[in-house]
Amino acid sequence: MSTILSYNADKFKILISDTRTTKFTTESKIFDDSTLKIHYINNYGFCTGIGIGELVRNTFNEILTYHSIDNTVLQKAFRIAHKSIQDECDEEVLDFLNQSAVIVSNINAINLFSKCLFQHVNSDSVSIKKNQLNIQFPFDITNEEKERIHLLTQTIPEPTIENVLLLMLNTFKEISDISEDVSHICSIAILGQEIESPFFIQNNVNEIINILKENSFHILKNEFEQYKTQLISWENT
């Protein structure tokens, strides 16, 4: 299980994910903190998700088969990916699958796709509201902890990219400190109208917070540059 934070501002879109996958044995859990969970869709945006990783990967691969992408294509890709797993899983896995979600960002919007998360609106997709932090929590976070974390994220003095990113990173740190399902390593993917994008970086959340506290967001540009070759190579993976 992952955590995903997303923020949909007019001039930029930010996704943050962890990098932990968990394997269950008869005696313990085995953690791997080296998993890349944010995938780059060439000339479009990013795809990530929570829950069953195969759902995210299958949705991403299905999206890549289309030359032109819009929300109808994204929804179709998600449904095809979901059905491909649903047809082969038992009831326990199906419940987990239905609580999983895929998140796709582009320069104009951030969309979430899930079979169960949005039943109150009778849909398997919603768009993230503007200028609000959206948090997809891991399953081991209690409702009391969720409420406490939500209270910490209510106010942003000025919604600049630096302030929003720092709020998101501090929120991610809160979650990773209390959830054994979430790594302290985070991946950040940013699209922006007034900044060179796409931007991507992956590092320990505390190190990135320290850089932002001491410098402006643009100091991170050098850190992002080293990932450009990797980013471009994802487009057909």
Side-chain angles (χ1 to χ4, degrees):
M1 186 62 185
S2 306
T3 189
I4 303 292
L5 283 68
S6 53
Y7 196 94
N8 177 18
D10 287 329
K11 296 181 179 180
F12 57 86
K13 320 294 177 190
I14 304 176
L15 298 178
I16 297 181
S17 81
D18 75 313
T19 63
R20 176 166 293 177
T21 54
T22 306
K23 295 182 179 178
F24 295 89
T25 69
T26 55
E27 298 179 352
S28 63
K29 294 181 179 180
I30 300 174
F31 298 121
D32 179 358
D33 287 352
S34 63
T35 303
L36 185 66
K37 297 183 180 179
I38 298 181
H39 307 277
Y40 178 51
I41 305 168
N42 191 36
N43 295 322
Y44 186 79
F46 293 97
C47 177
T48 187
I50 59 168
I52 294 181
E54 187 180 357
L55 177 64
V56 179
R57 291 189 296 273
N58 288 3
T59 302
F60 169 69
N61 288 328
E62 184 66 27
I63 292 169
L64 294 184
T65 66
Y66 294 88
H67 296 293
S68 178
I69 302 171
D70 57 20
N71 200 53
T72 300
V73 165
L74 297 177
Q75 193 168 48
K76 182 179 180 181
F78 168 76
R79 290 174 177 174
I80 291 172
H82 185 280
K83 190 175 188 308
S84 70
I85 302 171
Q86 173 186 289
D87 290 345
E88 299 181 1
C89 66
D90 58 29
E91 286 190 14
E92 184 177 353
V93 175
L94 180 60
D95 183 58
F96 189 34
L97 173 66
N98 287 337
Q99 294 180 67
S100 301
V102 174
I103 298 111
V104 181
S105 68
N106 60 56
I107 199 67
N108 297 311
I110 302 176
N111 295 298
L112 280 76
F113 303 87
S114 175
K115 283 295 182 182
C116 284
L117 293 181
F118 318 122
Q119 288 181 334
H120 61 289
V121 293
N122 194 31
S123 176
D124 57 8
S125 69
V126 298
S127 294
I128 297 294
K129 294 181 179 178
K130 286 287 183 70
N131 301 316
Q132 290 185 15
L133 176 58
N134 180 276
I135 307 171
Q136 298 299 312
F137 287 98
F139 288 161
D140 64 345
I141 297 289
T142 66
N143 289 332
E144 289 77 12
E145 289 168 334
K146 290 179 184 178
E147 185 175 345
R148 178 182 65 82
I149 291 170
H150 276 306
L151 287 173
L152 295 174
T153 65
Q154 294 301 306
T155 305
I156 302 177
E158 183 182 355
T160 63
I161 193 167
E162 290 93 345
N163 288 342
V164 170
L165 187 54
L166 192 56
L167 173 71
M168 294 177 74
L169 288 167
N170 282 320
T171 304
F172 179 93
K173 181 179 183 304
E174 286 281 337
I175 295 170
S176 63
D177 283 345
I178 60 177
S179 172
E180 70 170 6
D181 293 334
V182 177
S183 64
H184 283 87
I185 300 172
C186 66
S187 300
I188 306 170
I190 304 177
L191 300 168
Q193 297 174 349
E194 297 182 354
I195 59 174
E196 185 182 355
S197 70
F199 278 168
F200 176 85
I201 189 170
Q202 185 169 286
N203 207 335
N204 185 286
V205 64
N206 295 301
E207 293 187 24
I208 303 178
I209 288 173
N210 288 337
I211 292 173
L212 273 178
K213 283 182 175 179
E214 295 175 7
N215 306 281
S216 73
F217 165 76
H218 295 286
I219 297 298
L220 281 175
K221 182 176 179 182
N222 292 333
E223 298 288 333
F224 279 111
E225 289 290 335
Q226 67 177 305
Y227 286 92
K228 273 196 171 180
T229 301
Q230 180 186 9
L231 191 64
I232 298 303
S233 71
W234 291 345
E235 64 181 80
N236 291 313
T237 60

